[in-house]
Amino acid sequence: MAVTIYGLGCKSTKKAKQWMINNQIPFVERDIKKDPLTVPELQDILRLTMEGTDDIIAKRSSHYQKVEVDFDDLSLVELLEMIQEQPKFLKSPIIVDRNKLQVGYNADEIRQFLPRKTRKFQLLNWTQDLKPIEW
């Protein structure tokens, strides 16, 4: 299954796309401003999170700060419907495949999308490049 990058066209989304291209990982890009996530798609993403909606909502964004809604008072469905209507509430990018999730661009964490053999090969080459410590 290909990797999907859900993004808002921000710098982090562009970095993630370039990383995928540089590492020859097939991906599908989706601009969530033009094509917002549906409630079932958001539920699928939440299934992969550790902290639920806290992992995907951009609470420090100006868009979030301007809204006069207490998100804690909303049901999950109400919150997901609100996110569907206002995709700027989401962090960007959200990168997923069948069972992996990364929210935001992180150069170390994005490596999880490399095939296992590639990660193992890179790790072996990296450890061979280490020089022994001389005391």
Side-chain angles (χ1 to χ4, degrees):
M1 181 176 174
V3 173
T4 302
I5 300 175
Y6 300 104
L8 295 166
C10 63
K11 192 175 186 178
S12 293
T13 301
K14 290 175 185 170
K15 281 184 180 180
K17 288 175 11 184
Q18 190 58 54
W19 188 91
M20 294 289 175
I21 291 166
N22 292 347
N23 287 281
Q24 301 175 356
I25 297 175
F27 69 94
V28 175
E29 177 188 6
R30 181 154 156 203
D31 184 335
I32 58 176
K33 284 188 286 188
K34 295 177 185 173
D35 186 12
L37 292 161
T38 64
V39 169
E41 288 172 326
L42 288 164
Q43 290 170 327
D44 286 343
I45 290 170
L46 286 174
R47 177 181 57 82
L48 298 172
T49 65
M50 298 294 286
E51 300 294 328
T53 57
D54 287 344
D55 283 349
I56 64 170
I57 294 178
K59 292 184 176 180
R60 293 186 299 185
S61 74
S62 61
H63 194 71
Y64 177 89
Q65 310 256 334
K66 290 177 187 176
V67 176
E68 295 181 15
V69 174
D70 187 352
F71 286 81
D72 293 331
D73 289 342
L74 299 174
S75 70
L76 180 59
V77 172
E78 289 172 326
L79 177 59
L80 297 180
E81 287 172 349
M82 187 176 206
I83 292 170
Q84 183 180 15
E85 292 170 17
Q86 297 291 324
K88 288 185 177 183
F89 285 132
L90 291 173
K91 293 178 181 176
S92 180
I94 296 175
I95 308 166
V96 298
D97 72 3
R98 183 175 310 136
N99 53 15
K100 295 180 211 123
L101 168 76
Q102 179 177 333
V103 180
Y105 177 79
N106 179 302
D108 292 328
E109 291 176 12
I110 201 167
R111 293 185 73 255
Q112 70 179 311
F113 294 100
L114 287 169
R116 178 172 280 142
K117 287 181 182 180
T118 304
R119 288 193 317 262
K120 187 174 182 178
F121 176 77
Q122 287 179 350
L123 180 63
L124 285 172
N125 284 340
W126 179 78
T127 56
Q128 290 173 358
D129 290 341
L130 293 177
K131 302 211 182 327
I133 298 173
E134 294 184 25
W135 299 98

